[in-house]
Amino acid sequence: MSNSTYTPPKVWHWEAGNGGKFANINRPISGATHEKELPIGKHPLQLYSLGTPNGQKVTIMLEELLELGIKEAEYDAWLINIGDGDQFGSGFVEINPNSKIPALVDRSGSQPIRVFESGSILTYLAEKFSTLLPTTQPERAETLSWLFWQMGSAPFVGGGFGHFFAYAPEKFEYPINRFAMETKRQLDVLDKRLAQNQFVAGEHYSIADIAIWPWYGALVKGWQYDAGEFLSVHEYKHLIRWADEVYARPAVQRGRRVNRLQGDPAQQVRERHDASDLR
């Protein structure tokens, strides 16, 4: 345990240069920092995103819809580079006041519909195209429960463990231990669930798998935070089985490449406007 301590002041004040990888874009207020209109492509579905785990949820979903032969799911995927602060442009803030990727605009109707938050986008698309979300109970409730489990749990993995393990300017034992413990608890939740079921919500692939895989599947495959050995991910054999099975899906492999800025350059497709962009 570190001996260093911090005594909070009575009133917190923002210091713009507070250190850390994302200090240049973090701030305690919302809203646009600059005027910038968003581009609009040829398809009704316009996605503005980045190939992070949250962004991958939506591109995988869209590619799965196309894999099912749903031509109306064709989409334009525009890059929002959060490292450059694109999420604070006026056009993006207009469709997501929270300035987080991903954000979607559906222009297929008489008026554009904005949809933000990845779980909301997955649900919207599943209902729009009547697939990957059961319509009968109890299967529907189970699927939505696991979807929202992911939405509530992943911040402890990303903003908690990932931040302090990989991105914080200094390593501190307490937060790394705290969030490693929670991350492993969550991995155990999934491993036990997948010991009894082929997919997370049951015997059928769904938006629950699409939401969970980019975070937890990538983690047990060793792609997140270079933390596989640290977290002993080899212990979660049922989760690994599921992660490999989901990754074998062509739509997952395509969706993971869209709006990607990290890893193998050959696997990065900064923008996607046609199926040929992913060949």
Side-chain angles (χ1 to χ4, degrees):
M1 180 69 67
S2 172
N3 291 325
S4 62
T5 59
Y6 166 67
T7 301
K10 290 185 177 180
V11 179
W12 181 84
H13 295 283
W14 176 43
E15 295 181 10
N18 65 347
K21 182 175 180 180
F22 303 107
N24 64 320
I25 59 171
N26 289 338
R27 58 198 182 108
I29 55 175
S30 63
T33 61
H34 58 283
E35 292 294 320
K36 185 177 181 180
E37 293 186 7
L38 292 175
I40 301 174
K42 62 183 179 180
H43 301 298
L45 297 178
Q46 298 292 300
L47 177 66
Y48 304 92
S49 190
L50 180 66
T52 65
N54 284 335
Q56 289 174 33
K57 297 176 196 175
V58 180
T59 49
I60 289 172
M61 177 67 174
L62 289 165
E63 292 296 328
E64 291 283 11
L65 294 171
L66 293 171
E67 189 78 10
L68 290 170
I70 302 173
K71 297 180 180 179
E72 295 80 5
E74 271 291 351
Y75 67 103
D76 291 278
W78 303 94
L79 179 67
I80 299 296
N81 191 331
I82 62 175
D84 292 344
D86 291 349
Q87 69 274 34
F88 300 117
S90 57
F92 189 83
V93 172
E94 186 175 345
I95 62 170
N96 186 356
N98 197 38
S99 293
K100 302 290 184 181
I101 62 93
L104 178 78
V105 179
D106 182 355
R107 298 181 174 274
S108 62
S110 58
Q111 292 184 337
I113 298 173
R114 73 175 187 183
V115 194
F116 58 90
E117 291 295 331
S118 57
S120 176
I121 297 172
L122 292 181
T123 305
Y124 177 83
L125 291 172
E127 293 182 338
K128 178 180 177 70
F129 296 112
S130 302
T131 189
L132 296 171
L133 174 60
T135 57
T136 58
Q137 303 294 4
E139 292 82 5
R140 181 180 177 85
E142 190 72 16
T143 303
L144 291 174
S145 291
W146 284 106
L147 171 66
F148 286 97
W149 175 88
Q150 185 279 318
M151 298 294 292
S153 297
F156 291 98
V157 176
F161 173 75
H163 176 78
F164 286 105
F165 183 80
Y167 301 134
E170 298 179 73
K171 297 288 191 288
F172 291 102
E173 183 178 1
Y174 176 78
I176 291 175
N177 281 345
R178 168 67 180 88
F179 289 112
M181 176 179 65
E182 172 60 16
T183 297
K184 286 183 68 65
R185 188 193 69 81
Q186 293 179 21
L187 292 172
D188 191 52
V189 168
L190 288 172
D191 194 61
K192 288 175 178 174
R193 173 66 179 172
L194 290 162
Q196 304 297 324
N197 298 274
Q198 182 177 1
F199 297 105
V200 173
E203 297 309 307
H204 300 286
Y205 182 71
S206 72
I207 59 173
D209 301 284
I210 293 172
I212 292 169
W213 185 87
W215 282 101
Y216 300 89
L219 193 60
V220 296
K221 290 187 74 66
W223 299 336
Q224 289 281 76
Y225 314 123
D226 194 24
E229 182 178 5
F230 181 79
L231 294 171
S232 299
V233 297
H234 67 276
E235 298 173 345
Y236 307 104
K237 299 186 183 303
H238 305 292
L239 180 52
I240 291 170
R241 183 272 306 164
W242 167 84
D244 289 340
E245 186 172 346
V246 173
Y247 184 58
R249 299 175 70 90
V252 173
Q253 296 182 30
R254 292 197 305 268
R256 191 169 179 268
R257 297 172 58 199
V258 179
N259 297 143
R260 192 169 183 82
L261 293 181
Q262 294 181 329
D264 182 358
Q267 295 298 311
Q268 298 177 21
V269 179
R270 293 174 64 92
E271 293 185 359
R272 188 268 190 210
H273 304 289
D274 188 83
S276 61
D277 293 333
L278 289 165
R279 290 176 185 162

